[in-house]
Amino acid sequence: MSLFKTTVVSDRLGACLPKRKFGRADEWVTQLGVGGFHVGKAESEQEAQAIVETALEEGIRFFDMAAEYQDGRAEHRYGEYLCPKYRDDVFLMTKTKARTGAEATAEIESSLRRMRTDRLDAILMHAIATVDEPGERIRDGVYEAFLKAKEQGKVRYLGFSGHLNTDANLRALELLGDQVDVSLMPVNVVDPSDSDSFVKNVLPVMNKMGVAPLSMKSAAFGHFFEKEVAVENIAATTIVPGRVSMEEAFQYVLSTPISVWVSGMHKAEFVKKNAEIARNFSKLDDQQMESIVARVEAYRDNVEVEGYRKWG
Amino acid sequence: MYRRKFVKAVGSGLALGTVASRLSFAKASPSSSHIAIGTQAKPTLALDGLMIAHGDRCKTAGLLQAAYDHGIRYIDTSMTHIAGRSERRIGRFLENRKRDQFFVQSRLKVRRKEVATSELELSLARLRTDYLDAFLLDTEVRNKIDDQFEIPDENTFEALIEAKEAGKIRKIGLRGFEESEQLDRLLKLYGEHVEIVMIPFGMGDDTKLMRQAQRYGFDLIAEGDRKLQQQIFTDKAGVDQLPKGLSSWVVSFTDPKTFKDIIGRFDELAGGAA
């Protein structure tokens, strides 16, 4: 089934954003999701609460998170503003950097307690960094702990995230096979021009396997907006809006075969803007997509732009 | 001779593991001893676990081994040193060694009691041990990146009291900051249970703190102010300016080559303070 077939539904909170299929699972998720890091980054508790509530008002029902964000502050904020009132209305995902089964089990428990809930919709091995890492984490029992948590009803879907190199993600997909339900990886307008492209090398494999693809770094952790980068004798400018508009950058992401565009939004006003893009979205054709990618090709393989390529 | 051989191995990046494990046999009884919390009269040194999280795994394994070879057995870390990486690396180091020769201390920053309880389990899992010698609660939840901070629920410390009763922690305590309002509040509530208070190095002379230490009977230990340490260990600070109330100092060793000098200088200063 094509991931672009969307369904428009309403729930007790109002109209949801268009939903897409969550990979091979019998599950539909809103095509825009709230990135957890930026909930923790928000400048105050009030702003964090506004982000969560605006997201719900705008029809977002997918919430990403990770235990390590701001040393637990981000998870704590879901525990304050999301889960107590809205847990049954949303898809909740978190991630763990645990390297052993015992650690994974303990960290899942901490995540549940911080977020004041008794169950997750998805748990991911966080930030697979090298080609050897997926094998090491699996060997040391992390995925076994995930499966046990699933048996105990603490989580429904399992997977991993990775934004450093495609070989690491491909290795994890290969090792886990049909035990991986979901994976989070970078998708943005520069990536397809990279020599090591997630969109070109990893996304098709995930689509073929029926793994739910979640996209991150749609603006390269904000670098598209913030960094004035000079390349190949082109005057320094930001990629957005210097080369492409914000709408184009995000419509491109939504036009790739992903399930959810997970976006980091540290102010409620950004949630409104992005929700509008997701609500009014219609798929770009191949020519439009190629034209957008071509306009930013000169920024390829540049870690100043794609800073996430060097975080370990 | 062994030490020189070891340093050479680190420098040339040779088979570290082999040399190191041979060494730990050879040096079973360290000449200088920093195994646990000392006293005001004879303070001890602890290794700053944050340094273990910086840089690659092999380099920091070398750092731990060098500390061990120099008799340091008191390791201070935190659950949030690089999202658990420090604890994990220390855990790997401890795994194949006799646990009871080390004094392992970790710290947590959480806002609620039930999270503190599960975080302790996480800390034990990362450190690959079934007990901690000391576990400290941050009196404020601070974030290094921004100025935001929150105050933990008043009863959070009770998680530590319960874990101690269950045998999972030997000593419990608090970590305070320059502004001592929260520390004062928690000491009023739980002072009789508090065995260790960690403070910034510059506060080691604070008379109120020293009075509190006496009244409640806790040990005062200081975390490294990295700049100040440099001054102390390069003779720039006068001995008379050093804090008098500390039972242990957490020191940020970063280079195995400097261990001998730093420990020597510390022992000299500690002796002088006595």
Side-chain angles (χ1 to χ4, degrees):
Chain A
M1 183 191 290
S2 164
L3 288 169
F4 294 105
K5 186 180 173 259
T6 56
T7 153
V8 179
V9 295
S10 287
D11 60 18
R12 73 176 188 105
L13 301 174
C16 302
L17 287 178
K19 288 192 174 185
R20 294 187 184 193
K21 190 90 182 335
F22 190 71
R24 61 177 177 263
D26 183 20
E27 179 95 35
W28 294 78
V29 285
T30 54
Q31 61 186 359
L32 174 60
V34 170
F37 183 90
H38 288 72
V39 174
K41 186 185 171 185
E43 64 179 12
S44 65
E45 292 295 305
Q46 290 85 338
E47 192 61 39
Q49 182 172 6
I51 289 166
V52 167
E53 289 173 357
T54 305
L56 293 168
E57 280 162 25
E58 296 287 331
I60 297 171
R61 299 290 181 266
F62 189 98
F63 288 81
D64 156 82
M65 189 40 74
E68 75 153 320
Y69 293 155
Q70 291 85 20
D71 299 334
R73 183 170 78 201
E75 277 193 344
H76 178 77
R77 287 176 171 178
Y78 277 2
E80 294 291 302
Y81 311 119
L82 180 68
C83 298
K85 282 197 217 161
Y86 308 110
R87 178 65 192 91
D88 294 341
D89 304 297
V90 301
F91 188 104
L92 180 65
M93 170 175 104
T94 196
K95 323 184 199 79
T96 171
K97 280 194 167 166
R99 295 303 203 275
T100 65
E103 201 190 328
T105 300
E107 190 147 59
I108 289 171
E109 190 56 39
S110 262
S111 288
L112 290 169
R113 289 182 183 199
R114 258 196 221 99
M115 295 195 288
R116 294 188 208 262
T117 181
D118 56 2
R119 67 196 196 285
L120 304 165
D121 292 295
I123 181 79
L124 272 56
M125 296 196 286
H126 194 180
I128 296 288
T130 66
V131 72
D132 294 328
E133 232 185 73
E136 287 166 8
R137 292 200 209 182
I138 295 165
R139 178 200 66 203
D140 294 335
V142 173
Y143 226 74
E144 226 171 281
F146 282 11
L147 288 164
K148 201 172 140 204
K150 189 177 168 179
E151 265 172 42
Q152 293 169 338
K154 289 179 182 171
V155 61
R156 298 194 296 146
Y157 301 111
L158 316 178
F160 68 92
S161 74
H163 52 69
L164 277 121
N165 73 76
T166 61
D167 286 343
N169 290 43
L170 289 169
R171 184 89 180 111
L173 289 169
E174 181 196 330
L175 289 172
L176 292 168
D178 59 10
Q179 293 204 317
V180 57
D181 305 306
V182 51
S183 179
L184 174 68
M185 56 155 197
V187 175
N188 60 51
V189 293
V190 172
D191 175 275
S193 305
D194 287 336
S195 50
D196 185 39
S197 163
F198 284 92
V199 173
K200 283 190 173 164
N201 300 328
V202 184
L203 189 51
V205 177
M206 286 163 63
N207 288 146
K208 203 173 160 194
M209 291 171 71
V211 174
L214 312 178
S215 79
M216 61 171 153
K217 316 290 181 241
S218 55
F221 201 71
H223 288 191
F224 285 3
F225 296 105
E226 292 155 8
K227 294 232 166 179
E228 294 190 356
V229 180
V231 284
E232 294 173 16
N233 305 321
I234 306 173
T237 182
T238 55
I239 289 179
V240 179
R243 301 283 166 228
V244 296
S245 69
M246 186 173 78
E247 287 76 10
E248 286 171 319
F250 294 158
Q251 279 165 355
Y252 173 84
V253 172
L254 283 169
S255 295
T256 62
I258 57 164
S259 294
V260 184
W261 161 35
V262 177
S263 176
M265 303 170 286
H266 61 280
K267 288 190 168 143
E269 62 181 283
F270 302 151
V271 178
K272 281 194 168 171
K273 279 185 188 168
N274 287 2
E276 200 181 332
I277 291 171
R279 192 177 302 113
N280 302 327
F281 168 75
S282 60
K283 189 184 175 313
L284 304 174
D285 62 34
D286 290 352
Q287 212 181 342
Q288 288 170 311
M289 288 174 79
E290 278 162 26
S291 139
I292 292 171
V293 169
R295 266 183 278 157
V296 294
E297 198 193 337
Y299 299 91
R300 68 196 294 273
D301 292 336
N302 187 332
V303 289
E304 207 182 324
V305 175
E306 294 168 290
Y308 58 85
R309 292 263 186 181
K310 58 181 174 182
W311 303 338
Chain B
M1 183 181 98
Y2 280 108
R3 198 182 75 86
R4 215 174 297 130
K5 198 171 168 188
F6 175 68
V7 171
K8 210 172 142 197
V10 173
S12 56
L14 289 174
L16 232 178
T18 334
V19 179
S21 57
R22 228 186 294 140
L23 242 179
S24 50
F25 269 104
K27 283 219 154 192
S29 48
S31 53
S32 135
S33 168
H34 295 282
I35 288 164
I37 295 176
T39 59
Q40 282 178 21
K42 195 171 175 9
T44 56
L45 272 184
L47 180 72
D48 177 0
L50 179 61
M51 299 302 133
I52 305 305
H54 288 317
D56 71 64
R57 218 186 275 181
C58 289
K59 195 189 106 190
T60 56
L63 210 55
L64 276 163
Q65 183 64 48
Y68 182 90
D69 294 336
H70 286 89
I72 291 174
R73 302 286 187 276
Y74 182 0
I75 303 171
D76 169 70
T77 183
S78 161
M79 295 203 66
T80 52
H81 281 343
I82 321 285
R85 191 195 282 162
S86 169
E87 284 191 331
R88 264 183 230 113
R89 289 181 176 181
I90 292 164
R92 285 196 195 95
F93 179 82
L94 293 175
E95 197 174 26
N96 301 315
R97 288 173 173 81
K98 248 178 91 196
R99 172 67 183 84
D100 64 7
Q101 64 184 320
F102 294 98
F103 189 94
V104 182
Q105 165 178 298
S106 193
R107 310 182 247 122
L108 84 167
K109 41 178 179 179
V110 293
R111 298 150 196 81
R112 303 204 323 266
K113 183 186 167 187
E114 59 162 2
V115 182
T117 303
S118 60
E119 288 287 272
L120 169 64
E121 297 300 327
L122 177 57
S123 183
L124 292 171
R126 284 178 184 156
L127 286 161
R128 300 177 190 232
T129 179
D130 52 10
Y131 73 96
L132 291 177
D133 294 282
F135 203 43
L136 313 182
L137 174 72
D138 278 18
T139 54
E140 295 168 23
V141 179
R142 294 199 185 192
N143 192 290
K144 284 187 203 97
I145 315 287
D146 54 44
D147 295 329
Q148 299 182 50
F149 71 94
E150 295 107 51
I151 308 300
D153 289 351
E154 224 164 58
N155 67 347
T156 307
F157 189 74
E158 288 170 18
L160 276 63
I161 298 174
E162 286 167 18
K164 191 189 166 185
E165 281 165 4
K168 292 175 180 179
I169 314 173
R170 300 267 162 94
K171 284 175 186 277
I172 56 180
L174 297 165
R175 176 185 177 221
F177 301 91
E178 281 85 356
E179 180 54 63
S180 64
E181 193 185 323
Q182 295 309 320
L183 178 63
D184 293 345
R185 189 181 66 122
L186 288 170
L187 283 176
K188 269 193 198 116
L189 285 166
Y190 301 109
E192 57 179 310
H193 296 281
V194 174
E195 293 158 283
I196 301 172
V197 170
M198 185 177 204
I199 47 155
F201 190 84
M203 290 177 71
D205 257 343
D206 190 290
T207 48
K208 189 174 110 191
L209 266 169
M210 286 168 75
R211 258 202 331 268
Q212 285 170 327
Q214 208 157 31
R215 178 169 164 204
Y216 296 112
F218 57 75
D219 283 315
L220 207 52
I221 63 174
E223 58 185 308
D225 172 323
R226 293 183 185 104
K227 253 189 203 153
L228 206 60
Q229 280 179 33
Q230 288 303 315
Q231 290 174 7
I232 294 164
F233 296 121
T234 53
D235 289 348
K236 282 177 196 153
V239 174
D240 51 347
Q241 287 169 29
L242 291 169
K244 302 288 190 293
L246 299 175
S247 300
S248 283
W249 302 4
V250 178
V251 173
S252 308
F253 295 98
T254 54
D255 179 356
K257 282 178 231 158
T258 64
F259 275 53
K260 198 180 167 197
D261 290 345
I262 291 177
I263 291 167
R265 175 81 181 128
F266 175 85
D267 286 342
E268 195 182 303
L269 293 173

